[in-house]
Amino acid sequence: MSIHTKVSDLADNILEKIKNSKRVSALTGAGVSAESGVPTFRGSDGLWNNYRAEELATPQAFKRDPNLVWRWYDWRRTLLAPLRPNDGHYALSQMEKFYDDFTLVTQNVDGLHRMAGSKTPVELHGNIWLMRCVSEGTVTENRNAPLVAMPPVCNDCGGLLRPHIVWFGESLDEDILTRAFRAAEQCDLFFVIGTSGVVQPSASLASIAQQNSATVIEINLEPTPITDVADATLLGPSAKIMPELLEAVGGNPP
Ligand code: OAD
């Protein structure tokens, strides 16, 4: 474990890994979007009408009062709609070009990685711009913010739509999970960026990568439980550190 504030201060063997690894994966959390203006989950600004996310992002809350849950999502979507990716997102999308194999796994539902150009991010917790028909399971994109009709219904069958998001108490999609675990197991280099490392299974992905001999590099404003398993931690905002890392690989920082 070593803690630094600049990429240039990393040990030579770590810099070598950053430059020469072929299979690379990155796991991102809310911290990557913080500089775009998206509130982090465990920050102080996560309340809506005195409800905590844990009270509304559940299947029980949706069953009890779909309108209430949709009003909360409508508020969140309206907050997110004008936000744009930051240099951390852009650096990550550029990295795809510099490594033979690059898998981006994210816990974020804001869609900013895609907007920055990342091709196929593995979205562990879903995407706030997608809706799923409760009856048929079909998934559609809807960018209206605010929503036109509340609650939204399926164009095909008239059934209720729900956010295509993994709620508290729900299981993650198996396919998505397999891709995330494979990304951690099969990489030579694993970046963990802007996540508090307390939500499973994301929290275990860094350990899995490390057990499979990958070099693990953490980027965060502060040490986290992941710091103990990381080969190096870079303390600083991801919008500053990720462009430095991109430059180390040979890319032009955004
Ligand atoms: P958290 O809010 O738990 O953690 C955000 C992390 O980002 C913290 O460790 C901060 O120190 C760090 N951070 C903040 N600003 C940063 C910046 N500019 N640069 C780098 N790091 C920064 O968010 P997550 O770890 O993403 O799940 O939370 C994981 C999951 O918990 C979320 O996806 C959500 C929640 O329950 C669901 O919605 C299912």
Side-chain angles (χ1 to χ4, degrees):
M1 170 174 97
S2 66
I3 299 183
H4 304 280
T5 53
K6 286 206 297 267
V7 170
S8 53
D9 291 341
L10 290 170
D12 287 347
N13 65 323
I14 303 264
L15 278 170
E16 207 49 39
K17 281 278 181 184
I18 291 169
K19 284 177 192 153
N20 297 327
S21 290
K22 302 252 178 285
R23 288 170 307 177
V24 179
S25 300
L27 169 68
T28 67
V32 166
S33 293
E35 288 152 283
S36 293
V38 180
T40 55
F41 277 87
R42 286 163 187 81
S44 52
D45 42 5
L47 279 183
W48 174 74
N49 287 356
N50 288 328
Y51 289 103
R52 284 177 297 113
E54 290 85 341
E55 294 173 83
L56 295 173
T58 71
Q60 292 81 2
F62 190 68
K63 201 163 176 204
R64 208 180 310 125
D65 194 344
N67 251 317
L68 176 72
V69 173
W70 266 120
R71 273 174 48 222
W72 174 58
Y73 274 102
D74 197 33
W75 170 75
R76 288 184 57 199
R77 287 162 55 101
T78 307
L79 280 184
L80 290 176
L83 304 186
R84 294 292 167 261
N86 63 57
D87 287 351
H89 297 107
Y90 286 117
L92 277 162
S93 82
Q94 288 300 311
M95 275 186 182
E96 286 182 0
K97 298 182 189 144
F98 286 89
Y99 292 117
D100 289 359
D101 188 277
F102 186 83
T103 307
L104 178 61
V105 180
T106 187
Q107 299 168 91
N108 300 343
V109 299
D110 54 38
L112 291 176
H113 282 304
R114 282 180 198 274
M115 201 186 279
S118 286
K119 294 228 172 58
T120 46
V122 179
E123 294 175 316
L124 282 175
H125 295 160
N127 186 311
I128 203 162
W129 303 110
L130 299 178
M131 297 180 179
R132 188 166 79 237
C133 175
V134 168
S135 322
E136 298 175 322
T138 40
V139 175
T140 43
E141 184 173 5
N142 178 323
R143 288 253 160 200
N144 295 337
L147 285 164
V148 179
M150 191 80 81
V153 291
C154 176
N155 276 339
D156 295 331
C157 75
L160 193 58
L161 293 173
R162 60 163 278 176
H164 187 50
I165 293 218
V166 181
W167 283 332
F168 294 101
E170 293 186 319
S171 316
L172 272 63
D173 180 274
E174 285 223 358
D175 241 33
I176 299 264
L177 259 187
T178 306
R179 285 169 66 199
F181 279 112
R182 200 180 299 137
E185 283 158 10
Q186 300 185 348
C187 67
D188 314 313
L189 177 66
F190 192 75
F191 293 115
V192 194
I193 313 150
T195 176
S196 55
V198 296
V199 174
Q200 290 296 355
S202 318
S204 55
L205 291 175
S207 303
I208 290 170
Q210 191 248 3
Q211 282 154 20
N212 285 278
S213 309
T215 299
V216 176
I217 307 207
E218 178 184 40
I219 295 93
N220 202 303
L221 294 182
E222 56 191 28
T224 71
I226 290 166
T227 309
D228 291 334
V229 292
D231 294 277
T233 291
L234 287 159
L235 290 186
S238 69
K240 171 177 169 282
I241 304 277
M242 294 318 293
E244 281 182 29
L245 283 164
L246 175 66
E247 205 169 5
V249 189
N252 290 322

